[in-house]
Structure formats: C-alpha cells, structure tokens
Amino acid sequence: MSSTSTQPTSSFDVTVEDSVSLTQTLTKIDSSNVTLSATPGAGETQIANYLTAWLEHRGIESHWIETVPGRPSIVGVIRGSGGGKSLMLNGHIDTVSLTSYERKPLSGHVGEKDGRPVIFGRGALDMKSGLAAEMAALATIKARGTPLRGDVIFTAVSDEEDASQGTQDLIAAGWRADGAVIPEPTNRVLITAHKGFVWIEVDILGTAAHGSDPASGVDAILQTGWFLTALEEYQSQLPVDEMIGPASLHCSLIHGGEEPSSYPAKCTVTIEFRTIPVQTDASILSDITNILATIAQNKPTFQFNEPRLTLSRPSYKLPVEHSLVQQTAKIAGDVYGKRPSIESMAIWCDAALLAEAGTPTIVLGPAGQGLHAKEEWVDVQSIRETEDIFVRLISEFCN
C-alpha cells in the first residue's frame, strides 16, 4: 500500500479524545473545499496535519496520501494480531463553503435545540461529529492495549463534497477492508443503499444564419424542443428499485445561441440521472442515443452529436441480510434502546466507491439538521451514541 508522508504541525490540542470535545475541535478547523464553491475554501491540509499529529500522539500508525497538491487524506491503522476481519472507518474531512453560513461558522460552540445540547458550526454535522466518533473509538481501542485479531483502519478523506478525490486516492493506494462504515449524519438510521448519478451532455445541431434569412437557418434551440419532449416521455419509463425507489432525471443546464439576430447553430443540454443498480453508463448512453436517432428518422432537419458522459458515480446496494448490516443493527439497537430502521438514502456518498473496490460498506451517523444550510448543528447525545456503536462494532467485528 503506497503513501507519502509529511511532517505534521497543528496548533490544536491533540490530547483531546472525547467525541464531543473532538467535534468542537474539528469544527474550529477551516477545511472548506477548495474546488466546490465560487469562493475558494481553505482546503484540507490544516485538518490533515491535526489528524496526523493526533494519531502520532497515540502511537497509531499513520499515512499521508496526497496525489493532488493541497488535497491530502490521512490513514491511521491499528494492526491486529492476525486471523481477524479488518474494519475501515471512513469519513470525509472537507466541508462546503463557510460563506453560506449565517454567523460564526467555525465556533464549534455548544448551545440548545428543543432543550437538548447541540454543537453548532459548519461541518459539525456533515461530518466532523461522525469523524470525531470514529477517532474517539480508535482512541478507546488503542488504550485497551490488547490487540484485536483484525486491523482497524481509519481513513479521513478529502474532497467528498465535490469529486471524491480522497477516497479515489485511498482506493488507488490499495487500502481495502472486510467491511467499512461511513458516519454520514443519518439521524440514527442504518443506510445500506443509495442512488448513483450520471451527467450527460447532448448537442442538438442547427445551421447558423442571419435572423432575416429563414431559408438558410435551422434553429437548434427549437429543434431541441423535440428532444425535450421525448426525454419527458422516457422519464416516465425509468426503472424502480424496491428499496432505493425510482430512478430519475432532470435537465440541469441548457445553452444555445450567440445573439438575438442569428439562428443558433447549437444547443447543448446537460442531463443529470439519479440512478439505481440496474442502470449503467452504457445503458443510459444507449437510451439517449436511441431517442435522438428516433427523432432524426421522423424529423429530417434534426441533427445531433453523440451524447457524452461527463461524470459518473455508481449507485450502491448492500443486501439487508449481509452480516455487517445485521451485526451493526443489533449493536445500534442496544445503544439506542430500539433497533434502527434499515433504509436507503437519495443522496450519494463514498460508500459506492468503497463497495465498487470490494469493501462492503454501511452508513450510520449522528443526528442533527442544517446540511449545507445557513445554520448547522449536531445533537450531542447522538455523537456519544455513535462513538459507543463504533467501539462495540470494532470489538466484535475485528475479533
């Protein structure tokens, strides 16, 4: 497994290991994503330095992975004695922009919501509290001194909010496990499936001409109307997964023309698909190509370029019967006082990438509100519950 290393420096206290205090500390570190927003963020280097120092303070093996300058990810490993299963605790260290937060995005202060203690700040919920719960669990396992049979692998990855550079780097470096958990804020629900997404661009072609010369011009924008009508019909026929729900599509962007006095020579439509497991990049591209070809057969002036895929992320579905799911559900039930519901979620996360690389993954994390919103907070009790679940899961799964 390859990695690069750096000398960590941090002005934040590395002796902290209580999950609530760690949530406050991590929230105070600006790790807003560099590439996601119109206002460039601080990036992940400072928080990666803190995590490395925190791991090294406890004598936990650490690795620094940075294939793109300024976008580091951290791996910490507690090696097992051998013969046990390995568990990966994966969490992202980046947040969305601070500029959209109403006030004091880096405060990490404790306040109240509905009479319950909560922590405020950008990323407190998404997902520094989950990361803190993983770290606290790691500290507990390390402090016990007696090694488990299997490895515990802590992976703190960059860029999940944008292009998942960190988890892709992690996989490329060779890190795998027998199971993984991602502590996205699931409000105490156990997630075993989520949709993927695919971005497709389609060019509808016309013929440029002066607006006063309709005999020479072909209006690409008007031609696009036929495609949009056919796409709407196709939308009603998209497949449905019994757990994840229906696949969907929407036209995200449309651009055409140069000026009012000319016939537009091209109109480009960007379509986002939210996908379920039966769909593939190839099947979606084939469907769109067939729609375009059918229109061209019936409309002599209709021309197009082949549709192109610009970004794709897979969907994910782990069977509810999988041992990792059932083991975690039992442990969480003991901690919560009732068995958690097992569901899918509409949003995408890195679970799909880990699973695609061969690591079965579940998603389970704290409760709160305000994802990407002007105020974000996480419930304090739910952080401690998440920590407790992870300690128990590590102890059982890796032995």
Side-chain angles (χ1 to χ4, degrees):
M1 296 178 183
S2 62
S3 66
T4 58
S5 63
T6 189
Q7 186 64 38
T9 58
S10 176
S11 59
F12 292 90
D13 184 3
V14 297
T15 66
V16 177
E17 50 190 38
D18 166 73
S19 58
V20 174
S21 299
L22 273 168
T23 298
Q24 292 181 277
T25 298
L26 296 177
T27 302
K28 291 173 183 176
I29 302 174
D30 183 357
S31 58
S32 47
N33 194 295
V34 174
T35 55
L36 179 66
S37 306
T39 305
E44 297 92 350
T45 299
Q46 185 182 16
I47 195 168
N49 281 332
Y50 175 78
L51 293 173
T52 302
W54 188 92
L55 292 167
E56 293 186 351
H57 178 73
R58 286 158 183 80
I60 298 173
E61 173 188 333
S62 67
H63 301 261
W64 180 289
I65 304 174
E66 185 175 1
T67 65
V68 176
R71 311 311 300 272
S73 297
I74 302 301
V75 179
V77 186
I78 299 177
R79 298 285 177 181
S81 60
K85 292 186 293 185
S86 57
L87 183 67
M88 180 183 291
L89 308 175
N90 175 280
H92 68 82
I93 55 179
D94 62 321
T95 73
V96 295
S97 174
L98 304 187
T99 57
S100 57
Y101 203 88
E102 194 167 57
R103 58 189 179 89
K104 297 182 179 179
L106 301 176
S107 70
H109 74 279
V110 176
E112 277 195 4
K113 284 287 184 181
D114 301 323
R116 298 174 62 85
V118 302
I119 297 172
F120 291 91
R122 173 59 76 223
L125 181 64
D126 185 19
M127 61 179 297
K128 290 179 176 178
S129 54
L131 199 70
E134 291 182 333
M135 293 166 67
L138 206 66
T140 297
I141 297 300
K142 179 66 177 178
R144 287 178 178 173
T146 305
L148 300 167
R149 293 170 61 210
D151 296 344
V152 185
I153 306 168
F154 168 70
T155 58
V157 296
S158 63
D159 194 41
E160 189 273 349
E161 296 288 3
D162 189 12
S164 294
Q165 184 67 48
T167 291
Q168 292 186 89
D169 288 345
L170 176 81
I171 292 167
W175 292 98
R176 303 289 190 277
D178 295 306
V181 56
I182 298 178
E184 290 282 5
T186 63
N187 287 301
R188 301 184 178 95
V189 173
L190 179 55
I191 300 296
T192 62
H194 64 69
K195 291 182 180 180
F197 65 90
V198 175
W199 294 353
I200 303 287
E201 285 185 350
V202 177
D203 295 332
I204 308 302
L205 306 177
T207 303
H210 194 281
S212 65
D213 186 11
S216 300
V218 176
D219 187 337
I221 295 175
L222 279 179
Q223 304 275 311
T224 300
W226 295 327
F227 173 60
L228 296 178
T229 298
L231 201 62
E232 185 176 23
E233 182 178 350
Y234 168 68
Q235 180 183 35
S236 67
Q237 302 165 11
L238 290 173
V240 178
D241 183 272
E242 73 279 1
M243 183 171 191
I244 304 176
S248 65
L249 70 82
H250 63 276
C251 293
S252 311
L253 299 167
I254 187 165
H255 176 76
E258 298 294 334
E259 61 274 319
S261 58
S262 299
Y263 278 77
K266 184 172 72 173
C267 182
T268 301
V269 178
T270 301
I271 309 156
E272 182 185 68
F273 288 80
R274 290 288 169 158
T275 61
I276 60 175
V278 296
Q279 295 172 292
T280 66
D281 295 349
S283 71
I284 290 172
L285 282 169
S286 175
D287 286 350
I288 297 300
T289 300
N290 289 338
I291 289 170
L292 293 164
T294 299
I295 298 169
Q297 287 177 356
N298 298 318
K299 306 287 185 181
T301 59
F302 187 82
Q303 297 184 51
F304 59 92
N305 289 328
E306 288 296 310
R308 54 191 176 273
L309 185 148
T310 61
L311 184 63
S312 174
R313 292 288 182 265
S315 59
Y316 175 58
K317 187 177 181 182
L318 185 67
V320 172
E321 299 77 20
H322 192 281
S323 59
L324 176 61
V325 177
Q326 292 302 314
Q327 187 173 22
T328 306
K330 182 181 183 305
I331 292 169
D334 292 341
V335 173
Y336 295 149
K338 65 175 183 178
R339 192 176 176 90
S341 60
I342 300 173
E343 302 178 14
S344 67
M345 63 182 181
I347 62 173
W348 190 88
C349 77
D350 281 350
L353 296 180
L354 294 175
E356 194 174 48
T359 300
T361 305
I362 57 172
V363 186
L364 179 70
Q369 289 184 16
L371 296 178
H372 302 192
K374 65 180 182 180
E375 181 185 77
E376 182 177 350
W377 55 267
V378 59
D379 179 86
V380 165
Q381 180 180 334
S382 74
I383 303 172
R384 293 197 173 102
E385 291 170 343
T386 305
E387 174 190 350
D388 192 4
I389 291 167
F390 291 164
V391 171
R392 297 187 192 200
L393 180 61
I394 292 167
S395 302
E396 292 185 17
F397 190 85
C398 298
N399 251 338

